[in-house]
Amino acid sequence: MADEVILLDLWASMFGMRTRIALAEKKVKYEYREEDLENKSSLLLEMNPVHKKIPVLIHNGKSVCESLIQVEYIDETWPGDNSLLPSDPYQRAHARFWGDFIDKKVNVTARRIWATKGEEQEASNELIEILKTLEAELGDKHYFGGETFGYVDIALIGFYSWFGVYDKFGNISIESECSKLIAWAKRCMQRESVAKALPETEKVTTFISQCLGLE
Amino acid sequence: MAKKEDSVKLLGFWASPFSRRVEMALKLKGVPYEYLEEELPKKTPLLLELNPVHKKVPVLVHNDKILSESHVILEYIDQTWSNNPILPQDPYEKAMARFWAKFVDEQILPAGFMSLVKAEKGIEVAIEETRELIMFLEKEVTGKDFFGGKTLGFLDIVAGSMISFCLARAWECMGIDMISEEKFPGLNRWIEKLNEVEIVRECIPPKEKHIERMNKIIERTMSS
């Protein structure tokens, strides 16, 4: 039986980007459906009744929610010859730890730069610290997992398309503070799966500016 | 692969559900370990050295490998010691177990504690909202002994440590009958089943001491 895979998503979601990248890395054919968050589809509400959020991965009628859980599910369901997570339990745990760190820290802080008034300075300072921690973890490696692109890279790279937003509203320059991380991001962008999944930074910045009524 | 000469140490805290759940997993697998109690809120130099990123318990040290974050540790334990598996084999079932475990820690915990203590929307609203979240779990466990089926699994360990042996005590302190028998027959039965498992009973924080601590935390949170 042919697999039916549907992804309910939003073009600008750095979480949806993770799932798109994972599906592309595994060459899984899927139907992409853009959601309007002001007017959520009945399918979204049915498939993610708990959070009512995107992305939602629907595989043969069954839904998997939460982007990093989706990435692991994709890795386990379509093993192929390119694993997104290491097979060694400790290396795997290490990757999950950093995925969890990114989930707990990055968006919560980054959002405050543009979505909350009066916190731009504090939030952007905190964001730089978080990115520097990640940069230290990357070290001199090609990717977070070493030579191969994987889970932690996938967890973080979507935020790169939002760096313009953080720079603009936080009055910072992530490039000058975290040059190694930017170099890593550019390496990732050379992968077709990433280049296709990430929108242009300018498009995201314009979108957010419009949301805030500034353009 | 685990070997005979394995050294396993766990830095934990007696009242932490995150730490207790790791103990449950180690006991379930029959893994001998050395337990090191952190006297929180004071943090030992060892804890700060082993977990510089979060500075929290639990931290598991397996030979020369250092692991933190309870969900990460649980999965590591499951992959390293393959007897009595905690996670299902099927990728979809595994994804569901992970989803609900995340839901317990990231949704039920804040709703079931902070929202109640602060009661910004009023206590009755906060209680109802918490019950709505818990109802999702009721549906997951109805018709089963455990979330994992016939035996304890990942979600039982996470939800057991967080809800039955931590949040339930906070609710008792606040005089709230959160998981009533009438509305949550499945979960009540599950809690009874959990209490029948010896290794779970060994990992429940002592009640009186725990209630005393909860009361202090609630008072402190209310006045902050």
Side-chain angles (χ1 to χ4, degrees):
Chain A
M1 189 185 83
D3 275 330
E4 186 202 48
V5 182
I6 300 170
L7 178 65
L8 306 180
D9 199 357
L10 176 70
W11 66 272
S13 164
M14 60 289 266
F15 304 105
M17 286 173 215
R18 294 166 170 177
T19 314
R20 283 175 242 161
I21 293 169
L23 288 165
E25 286 285 323
K26 298 285 184 162
K27 301 191 186 350
V28 176
K29 287 196 168 58
Y30 68 98
E31 182 193 337
Y32 177 91
R33 291 194 198 169
E34 187 75 24
E35 282 286 330
D36 173 3
L37 296 186
E38 305 278 307
N39 189 17
K40 293 176 183 177
S41 71
S42 51
L43 185 63
L44 172 58
L45 300 176
E46 180 198 335
M47 290 288 158
N48 190 358
V50 177
H51 301 296
K52 306 179 178 58
K53 286 182 177 177
I54 54 91
V56 179
L57 183 72
I58 309 170
H59 181 206
N60 294 334
K62 295 201 271 194
S63 62
V64 179
C65 305
E66 296 299 303
S67 56
L68 289 183
I69 294 177
Q70 289 162 355
V71 172
E72 284 212 64
Y73 174 80
I74 290 164
D75 198 35
E76 287 157 14
T77 304
W78 292 280
D81 30 356
N82 61 335
S83 298
L84 302 177
L85 276 143
S87 49
D88 170 71
Y90 180 65
Q91 295 303 328
R92 219 173 165 87
H94 194 79
R96 286 206 182 101
F97 173 87
W98 286 105
D100 175 77
F101 175 85
I102 291 163
D103 258 3
K104 283 193 164 99
K105 303 277 190 186
V106 181
N107 197 45
V108 163
T109 304
R111 261 193 76 88
R112 283 161 51 213
I113 295 175
W114 61 271
T116 321
K117 276 200 155 57
E119 292 190 40
E120 311 84 43
Q121 197 55 66
E122 191 188 299
S124 42
N125 289 340
E126 279 176 38
L127 180 66
I128 295 293
E129 283 314 305
I130 291 164
L131 294 178
K132 284 191 164 150
T133 302
L134 287 163
E135 206 176 42
E137 168 55 26
L138 176 68
D140 291 321
K141 301 193 297 272
H142 212 62
Y143 298 114
F144 278 90
E147 285 305 304
T148 43
F149 180 76
Y151 183 84
V152 183
D153 307 288
I154 294 174
L156 185 60
I157 191 59
F159 288 96
Y160 178 60
S161 62
W162 282 71
F163 281 4
V165 174
Y166 311 145
D167 279 352
K168 178 174 178 170
F169 292 97
N171 202 20
I172 47 173
S173 161
I174 297 175
E175 175 127 31
S176 47
E177 302 268 7
C178 305
S179 56
K180 271 187 164 173
L181 202 64
I182 299 295
W184 158 82
K186 289 181 176 164
R187 273 197 292 282
C188 291
M189 288 295 288
Q190 284 171 12
R191 297 183 78 80
E192 196 182 336
S193 62
V194 177
K196 286 204 164 143
L198 265 63
E200 282 169 24
T201 307
E202 294 76 39
K203 191 176 175 192
V204 181
T205 310
T206 305
F207 170 63
I208 292 299
S209 301
Q210 282 170 353
C211 286
L212 296 174
L214 297 170
E215 267 180 45
Chain B
M1 255 297 263
K3 304 181 290 286
K4 272 208 171 120
E5 324 80 64
D6 271 338
S7 146
V8 180
K9 293 190 176 61
L10 174 65
L11 268 80
F13 179 58
W14 67 273
S16 159
F18 308 103
S19 164
R20 288 294 186 170
R21 59 179 61 151
V22 174
E23 287 188 81
M24 279 184 209
L26 289 168
K27 284 181 195 279
L28 186 67
K29 305 269 186 172
V31 178
Y33 63 98
E34 183 191 344
Y35 180 76
L36 301 167
E37 178 77 24
E38 282 287 314
E39 288 173 18
L40 301 182
K42 278 188 308 195
K43 295 180 182 184
T44 61
L46 182 64
L47 174 60
L48 299 176
E49 180 199 329
L50 295 179
N51 190 0
V53 176
H54 298 298
K55 306 177 174 57
K56 287 179 177 179
V57 294
V59 178
L60 187 79
V61 185
H62 177 212
N63 298 328
D64 54 349
K65 298 172 193 147
I66 304 164
L67 298 113
S68 58
E69 290 306 298
S70 66
H71 292 205
V72 174
I73 297 173
L74 290 178
E75 296 221 26
Y76 173 80
I77 290 171
D78 205 33
Q79 280 153 32
T80 305
W81 292 277
S82 51
N83 60 320
N84 296 340
I86 299 174
L87 275 158
Q89 282 299 309
D90 173 68
Y92 179 71
E93 296 304 323
K94 216 186 275 197
M96 287 298 102
R98 286 171 178 151
F99 173 83
W100 290 116
K102 193 172 171 158
F103 174 75
V104 165
D105 281 0
E106 292 181 11
Q107 310 293 324
I108 295 189
L109 169 59
F113 186 77
M114 204 50 91
S115 303
L116 294 175
V117 176
K118 291 283 186 185
E120 274 160 18
K121 302 180 209 179
I123 191 83
E124 288 308 322
V125 174
I127 293 172
E128 248 342 279
E129 284 180 353
T130 306
R131 284 199 181 120
E132 273 171 31
L133 294 177
I134 296 172
M135 193 51 79
F136 284 111
L137 290 182
E138 173 71 17
K139 291 186 181 141
E140 285 305 303
V141 85
T142 298
K144 297 194 283 198
D145 282 353
F146 299 105
F147 288 101
K150 290 235 169 287
T151 50
L152 273 193
F154 187 73
L155 182 55
D156 297 285
I157 291 173
V158 170
S161 55
M162 179 56 75
I163 301 175
S164 337
F165 313 125
C166 181
L167 289 175
R169 281 157 182 200
W171 297 329
E172 194 176 312
C173 288
M174 292 188 258
I176 301 170
D177 179 24
M178 186 67 77
I179 311 183
S180 64
E181 176 73 51
E182 180 202 11
K183 287 203 166 105
F184 302 97
L187 280 172
N188 275 281
R189 183 165 172 272
W190 168 72
I191 292 170
E192 264 175 47
K193 288 273 168 204
L194 272 182
N195 277 300
E196 286 168 13
V197 180
E198 196 185 326
I199 57 125
V200 169
R201 282 203 305 274
E202 286 172 14
C203 296
I204 304 174
K207 193 165 184 188
E208 259 184 58
K209 194 177 170 193
H210 201 189
I211 298 266
E212 197 191 315
R213 181 185 153 80
M214 274 297 175
N215 272 318
K216 285 193 187 137
I217 296 175
I218 291 167
E219 261 179 57
R220 212 170 49 220
T221 312
M222 276 182 171
S223 59
S224 67

